[in-house]
Amino acid sequence: MPQFTFTVTEQLIPNQDYNDKKKQLRTHVDNMRADDDAFYALVNNIIVGEDQKGKIIDAMKKETTARKGRDESIYTDVMSKISKAVNSFNASR
């Protein structure tokens, strides 16, 4: 007696588009970026605005600039990963 096998694929959960989540997640990143910008502006106003001078002030300026650059790099990376994660999630559903 011959045996036959067949496979049936049935979608149990409907597809959803999660692209709206990108905007929600990006809003949180933008809020963090705005808070950081306000912080760095405050630090800059205290250091530069009050005409502070000296090695410590120069070191603080250098560290603040470096930290702001690293933060921007992180934000850019997070924004990219948000898109990739949502797109990957959409594709796997």
Side-chain angles (χ1 to χ4, degrees):
M1 190 181 281
Q3 292 184 347
F4 297 99
T5 303
F6 67 95
T7 303
V8 177
T9 303
E10 186 68 33
Q11 183 174 347
L12 300 175
I13 300 172
N15 282 338
Q16 275 186 290
D17 182 13
Y18 291 97
N19 284 319
D20 62 314
K21 301 299 181 198
K22 287 180 189 179
K23 183 177 179 184
Q24 292 174 359
L25 293 168
R26 287 178 178 161
T27 298
H28 292 298
V29 174
D30 288 340
N31 290 340
M32 287 187 293
R33 181 181 272 155
D35 288 344
D36 277 357
D37 287 344
F39 171 75
Y40 289 123
L42 179 63
V43 169
N44 193 43
N45 286 340
I46 290 169
I47 294 172
V48 177
E50 295 183 10
D51 283 336
Q52 301 290 327
K53 306 264 186 230
K55 290 181 182 180
I56 294 174
I57 299 303
D58 291 342
M60 289 175 65
K61 285 180 188 178
K62 184 178 177 182
E63 181 61 31
T64 302
T65 302
R67 185 173 293 271
K68 186 173 183 179
R70 284 190 302 267
D71 289 350
E72 274 303 314
S73 177
I74 290 169
Y75 291 136
T76 301
D77 188 46
V78 168
M79 289 293 212
S80 172
K81 287 183 178 177
I82 285 171
S83 290
K84 288 178 184 175
V86 171
N87 290 342
S88 174
F89 190 72
N90 279 337
S92 69
R93 304 278 300 150

